[in-house]
Structure formats: C-alpha cells, structure tokens
Amino acid sequence: MSLQSIKYNRGSLEILDQLLLPVQSKYVAVRGVEDGWKVINKMQVRGAPAIAIVGCLSLAVEIYPEEFESKKSLRQEIEGKLNYLVSARPTAVNMKIAADELLSLANDLTKAEDVSVPDMKQRFLNATEAMLQKDIADNRAIGANGAQAILKLVAKSLGAAGASGNGSVRVLTHCNTGSLATAGYGTALGVIRNLHELGKLEHVYCTETRPYNQGARLTAYELVHEKFPATLVLDSMVAALLRAKNVAAVVVGADRVAANGDTANKIGTYQIAVVAKHHGVPFYVAAPLTSIDLQIPSGDHIIIEERPDREMTHVGEHRIAAPGINCWNPAFDVTPASLITGIITERGVFEPQELKEAITKLLEL
Ligand code: MRU
C-alpha cells in the first residue's frame, strides 16, 4: 500500500505531518480553513496537488457543521475563505484553479432557483470531496502516459543510453512528487511507479533537493517503502550522474506550467534540465491539467516564493552556515520550455510548443 498523506471523512481531515518525516509518522488534525492555511504555509503538507486538495477540504470541514441563512451567505463564505487559502503559498497554481472552479460552482448554485441552501451545501461538499478520487485517477493516467513515452523513446535506441538489454530504464527525479505530494500514486513518481509495475524500472535516482530535502526525506522514504531499486544523490552530483550512469530520462513534477510550456518546479530543476540537455538525456515534466496555467503566456509571469534564510543556514536546530552571511532562498525556479522534451498530462504527452492549443481543444470538448 502506498503512503497516505491526506485522510478525509466528511467532517474530519487529517494530514501526515511532512515536517516530521521520515523520523516520525504523525497525523495532524485540520479543523478548518485557518488550520488549512497554516499547514500549507508551514509546509506540513506540500506538493502542488496536495496543497489544493487540503486547502479545499479544509473549507469542506469548516462549512460541514455550519448552518447558513441563505445561499448568498454561503457563497460569500466560500469566496472569502478560498481567496484566503490561495494566499498560503504563491507559486503552485493548483489551489487557485481549484478555487476558481469551486467559486464558479457556488455562483451557479446560488443562481439556480431549484437548489435549496442545504442542497447547495451538499453539492459543494460533493465537489470538494471528488477532488481526492480525481487526483488519483489523473495520476494513474499520467503514470501510464509517461512510462509509455519514455519506453517508446528508449525502444528507438535499444542498447543505447539508458536502456538495458530488456529495455528497462534508469531515471532521475527531483523533489517529491509521489503519494505525499498528491492524493495518491504521484505525478513524476507515478511515471516511475508505472515503469516499475511494467517491470521496466531498472533504477531510480532521486536528488536530495536542498534546502528542504524533499528528495532525501520524502522521495527516498517513498522509494524505500515501495521497495523500488533506488539511490539518493546530492543536487551537486547530477552532471556526474548523467555522465556515468546511463540515465534514460529525467522526470520531474511541476508547480505551474505556463501556456508556452515554461515550468516552475522545485529549485534546482532548471539546472538539472540544462545538464540533461548537455548530455542528450530527455527531460520530462509530469503535471495534471490542474497545474497548467494557460492564463499566463510564459514563466516570466510566475511568482516565485522566497522562504526564510533559516532553511538554508540550519539543519534542524544545528547551524551549518557562517553567522552573518546573507542568503537568497527561492523555493522554485523556472525551466524554459526549450529544455523540456515533453509535458506528461493525464490527457497525453505534449511538446511544450503544442501544449496551449492541445489543452485548449481538450477543455472545449
Ligand atoms: O515546496 P514544495 O515541496 O511544495 O514543492 C513541491 C514541488 O516542487 C513538486 O515537485 C511539485 O509540486 C509537484 S508535486 C506532484
């Protein structure tokens, strides 16, 4: 069984505290929107899809016991609280897209004359709860689409870089994109999971992902838990790894993909893409449609979250940086579309330059 980062039953929400992993496995109750905002902002729960799901479910648990005088007052509460949740972390777009969809539902229900106040609340709760199952289904499709794309590339050059005799592959991933970052299965880690299910995963390398160490703490924990053949490397070892280990593909997640395919993801992703290009290793981004922001033309429009110096200067309580030194701690970087081989979604794998048109068409259907 894969790890469960989010436990939800109507009226009750708990998240696995990712700040304590891998040393301690402890669930924390999220009793409403205030708690939801805090666990997202403090990164007790993190990963673009998980942030959106926990944010929306924190609103569901808050309104579940409440009674509303009118649909207008319910709608107002929904709008105010969703706006607040969007402010918890700025880079991942998933919470904003979910908020827009839920608000549009609330607007439609407010206008519909045959919908009562309790009906409206019920339908709103159903819509937020549906996000859990949809995310898992999307991730499974991403996993299958990505594994097929990588295997197809490798089949073309069987015996060449990254392919062993039976066509199984070595891949590299960055940050954490697995069950802990989603409702389950994972995005980039879903691709790796699918390769493993097909018996085609020879080895997975994961980076440490300084400074928050999502790779060393969380991805490594998931890989050991799943018993995948896996090795941890430091962020500074990627060039040496790609030169030495016949890696077939890099596959990473995304926090926001712009219309032209530029992709914001965990800091360090950009330099891996540069190094992959240099070594001729295909570089894939795995992202659900809920991470794709067609409203912005390019990555220049993505706000990059900057986090406290302490995440760089300390490991736990222990200071490792010279006192007095200045720090710059952007949590994400933007990989230009020109370095990306393909964007793996639940609806197919797209080259960055075809992404906007393809997704627009899919959304119209
Ligand atoms: O700061 P984090 O841990 O929330 O950053 C997470 C990442 O960058 C992930 O790679 C991304 O959200 C994809 S999660 C499926």
Side-chain angles (χ1 to χ4, degrees), residues 43 46-49 89 175-177 181 187 214 254-255 265-266 332:
M43 290 173 70
R46 28 67 49 204
R89 290 189 75 193
C175 194
N176 175 264
T177 61
T187 56
Q214 290 95 329
D255 291 84
N265 191 49
K266 180 50 54 193
F332 303 93

Side-chain angles (χ1 to χ4, degrees), residues 120 185 233 251 255-256 261 272 324 343 352:
M120 175 165 165
Y185 202 82
V233 294
V251 55
D255 291 84
R256 190 182 297 234
I272 296 176
I343 297 170

Side-chain angles (χ1 to χ4, degrees), residues 18 40 43 45-51 89 92 94 139 174-178 181-182 186-189 209 212 214 218 252-256 264-267 269 286-288 291 305 307 331-332:
Q18 298 188 31
I40 293 168
M43 290 173 70
V45 66
R46 28 67 49 204
I51 287 171
R89 290 189 75 193
N94 306 54
N139 292 341
H174 184 59
C175 194
N176 175 264
T177 61
T182 63
T187 56
L189 211 61
T209 320
Y212 187 76
Q214 290 95 329
L218 307 175
V252 299
D255 291 84
R256 190 182 297 234
N265 191 49
K266 180 50 54 193
I267 190 73
T269 304
S291 299
E305 176 184 6
R307 296 197 53 92
F332 303 93

Side-chain angles (χ1 to χ4, degrees), residues 65 74 103 137 192 196 200 214 255 258 275 278 281 321 323 339 358 364:
L74 173 55
L103 186 58
I192 292 162
H196 188 259
K200 296 290 186 189
Q214 290 95 329
D255 291 84
V275 167
H278 179 77
V281 175
L339 298 177
E364 279 165 8

